[in-house]
Amino acid sequence: MSTDYPDFGLDAAQRRDAVFTHRYEYPGMDGARGELWCYSDALAYAPGSLVRLMISSSVERAELEIARDGAELRVVLQQSLAGLRWQPTPEDCSVVGCGWESAFEFRIGEDWPSGAYRVSLVAAGNDGAPIRSHHLFIVKPRPGPKPRRVLQVAATGTWTAYNTWGGSNHYRGLTGPNRDQYSPTVSIERPWCRGFVVLPADAPRVPLECSPPPGAPLRYPHMEWAYATGHSTKYASAGWASYDSHFMRWAERAGYAVDLVSQHELHYEPGLLHDYDCVVMVGHDEYWSWEMRDAIDAYVDRGGHVARFAGNFMWQTRLEEGGRRQVCYKYRARAEDPVYRERDNSRTTGSWEAPETGRPGAATFGLNAIDGLYAGWGGCAARGVRGFPVYRPGHWAFRGTDLSYGDLLGAEGHAFGYEVDGLPYVIRDGLPEALPTGGAPEGLSILALGMSSLIEEPRSQADIDDRFIGDEEATYVAGLRFGDASAASVDRVKRGCGMIVHFTRGAGEVFHAGSCEWVAALLRNDAMVARVTSNVLDRYLAGS
């Protein structure tokens, strides 16, 4: 593995700006050459439904193409659009929505299979170069039993939380008295930021692909690339292009039949889960509502099978205005979320492990975000393992891998990172066992276990100034667990882990590989990761 950071042609000042400057997409950002932006009036549609595309354009004409983005890109609609116009956009559009009028409408074909549909718009810019814009919507499956089909749940709550279009998301923003705070409320009625729908094959992922030598400065190559190429800073943290798409393509090419829904369907149409023997979540899947969890718990209790190849199950959200807005106060929940002051404050939009919520993530998926977190980027385990150290190779999920105790699963494909989920545990006779303090279901088995960190520990004053991750997460977790953020409390929580676990509950069962980067190993054709994934899907589709 190289010890050199990639070079994207930036100087030191630009590299710093790439990490610490709040950059976002907004109307007029491309100046005189012109712009073309688009969003749809819903995240997902049933076959036969009317779709409204809200388009704001500085040019009158554009070419539209809609294609299902699966194992192959299959075009379903092409149309020349005329009469496009520039539409006024509220300054707080990322919070309240853009409010654009419909520019083009069409109906989902009755024969369009469920999946992700890419909207591509191309027009001639004022400088003669093409202007391009991309959007994505989901076609839901028809109701009814679906034997031998996988239902994939797209991490649309996380897409919404990270979307930088308009200036505010759940990380940075233009809200607050000084217009510099993240927004606890964000709208789905805005375009996706650049990089969420389409990416070039060489776009860097978050985990480092080099091993920094001793004394090397902290660097975040994916942010540098985004700065150099004009993509959103958050392209590698969320979105169809970086995560969900890779499982869909791998699964369909491997011969699996896959349907797709957004998380809104779990919230508003939970019964659709019961049409499937296997439900899958992948990638970076951080934001869920209480109702979404209820849907999964009921599904598993009644005999359903959940395969979660995803990491960072961290925050509770609320959906408002029929799902058009997502609410998550996060670190400021106790100070600002009005629900926290209610008699029943379990719906406070903070961490699932907060005492007021009392519903640890492990109760649904076997693992908690606050017991895991960062691995392989910034100053967090930057030279750590790229795969999962295996502890129980005899488990059925490892059949055909030839793995032994102590082997690494997924190191070739870098399956471990950038955010991972874990549990409090103890090692007995060389094997990890979950401690009851984590809220894991009884009988849970820890199959693999690697180390992570909740903090970038500084080696020098320069490191303190250059940390992107810093100690915010560790400080927050210390406050949840011990009621204070003292140095001693932070030290007690800063060491985390990432796990693969399996458990049964009710009549169903759950397999959870708690890493955002599992899909990256599928993308990179890691044979062992592909075999484990197939073992899980085959067992669950057979109803075992």
Side-chain angles (χ1 to χ4, degrees), residues 118 272 285 308 424 439 460:
R118 182 193 301 178
L272 62 79
D285 191 17
R308 182 173 168 85
S460 66

Side-chain angles (χ1 to χ4, degrees), residues 38-361:
C38 173
Y39 67 93
S40 55
D41 63 336
L43 294 174
Y45 302 87
S49 296
L50 182 69
V51 179
R52 296 179 177 87
L53 295 183
M54 319 302 182
I55 302 171
S56 182
S57 174
S58 60
V59 296
E60 184 183 2
R61 297 179 178 274
E63 296 300 315
L64 167 72
E65 179 181 278
I66 299 176
R68 185 181 185 277
D69 189 1
E72 298 178 352
L73 195 66
R74 185 167 73 85
V75 177
V76 296
L77 178 65
Q78 291 179 313
Q79 181 79 34
S80 295
L81 303 183
L84 300 177
R85 63 184 178 86
W86 190 252
Q87 304 207 45
T89 306
E91 187 177 20
D92 58 349
C93 60
S94 48
V95 177
V96 303
C98 289
W100 298 343
E101 295 180 354
S102 175
F104 178 69
E105 299 178 2
F106 64 95
R107 287 200 177 274
I108 303 289
E110 297 288 349
D111 60 342
W112 291 15
S114 176
Y117 284 75
R118 182 193 301 178
V119 178
S120 299
L121 288 163
V122 182
N126 295 325
D127 59 358
I131 304 172
R132 302 182 189 276
S133 178
H134 296 99
H135 183 61
L136 189 92
F137 63 86
I138 291 168
V139 173
K140 300 183 289 187
R142 292 183 177 279
K146 307 289 193 312
R148 302 295 300 175
R149 293 188 73 84
V150 173
L151 181 64
Q152 180 179 345
V153 180
T156 47
T158 301
W159 303 0
T160 302
Y162 280 86
N163 187 11
T164 53
W165 206 96
S168 293
N169 60 15
H170 289 332
Y171 291 84
R172 292 181 174 179
L174 308 177
T175 62
N178 298 319
R179 290 178 48 80
D180 60 357
Q181 293 181 352
Y182 68 80
S183 177
T185 301
V186 290
S187 174
I188 69 167
E189 296 179 307
R190 54 179 170 149
W192 294 119
C193 58
R194 288 172 173 166
F196 269 31
V197 179
V198 177
L199 283 171
D202 62 351
R205 302 191 67 80
V206 177
L208 294 170
E209 294 303 322
C210 63
S211 182
L218 293 173
R219 294 274 295 276
Y220 309 89
H222 69 287
M223 295 184 184
E224 296 174 21
W225 181 87
Y227 184 96
T229 60
H231 287 81
S232 168
T233 302
K234 297 300 187 184
Y235 84 88
S237 298
W240 172 256
S242 281
Y243 292 99
D244 310 69
S245 65
H246 298 313
F247 176 82
M248 173 71 78
R249 293 174 190 147
W250 172 87
E252 290 192 340
R253 288 166 183 161
Y256 296 98
V258 185
D259 291 336
L260 188 69
V261 293
S262 75
Q263 285 179 292
H264 273 54
E265 280 68 72
L266 270 64
H267 187 102
Y268 293 110
E269 305 175 51
L272 62 79
L273 293 175
H274 301 285
D275 290 339
Y276 294 85
D277 294 316
C278 179
V279 174
V280 171
M281 301 103 197
V282 302
H284 193 186
D285 191 17
E286 186 174 359
Y287 292 81
W288 282 59
S289 71
W290 188 283
E291 291 82 359
M292 294 171 193
R293 286 191 65 176
D294 282 349
I296 292 295
D297 287 344
Y299 169 73
V300 173
D301 287 340
R302 288 177 53 180
H305 305 88
V306 168
R308 182 173 168 85
F309 308 106
N312 197 214
F313 189 68
M314 182 77 177
W315 302 107
Q316 177 175 202
T317 63
R318 294 193 303 271
L319 298 184
E320 297 181 347
E321 295 189 5
R324 294 190 296 276
R325 294 194 195 181
Q326 176 173 289
V327 177
C328 190
Y329 283 83
K330 299 178 64 174
Y331 307 105
R332 309 198 315 252
R334 289 179 172 175
E336 299 179 20
D337 190 342
V339 171
Y340 181 68
R341 294 186 291 275
E342 295 179 0
R343 176 170 296 181
D344 177 5
N345 58 4
S346 60
R347 305 299 179 92
T348 302
T349 55
S351 168
W352 289 109
E353 289 71 47
E356 58 270 18
T357 302
R359 195 178 185 184

Side-chain angles (χ1 to χ4, degrees), residues 372-376 380-381 384-385 387 389 416 420 425 449-453 495-498:
L373 284 177
Y374 306 115
C380 296
V385 295
F416 190 83
V420 296
Y425 67 95
L449 164 66
M451 292 185 292
S452 64
S453 176
R495 290 169 286 274
C497 63

Side-chain angles (χ1 to χ4, degrees), residues 388-394 398 404-407 425 427 430-432 446-450:
F388 283 93
V390 173
Y391 280 82
R392 288 182 167 89
F398 299 140
S404 300
Y405 178 87
D407 284 348
Y425 67 95
I427 299 289
L431 295 173
I446 300 172
L447 312 181
L449 164 66

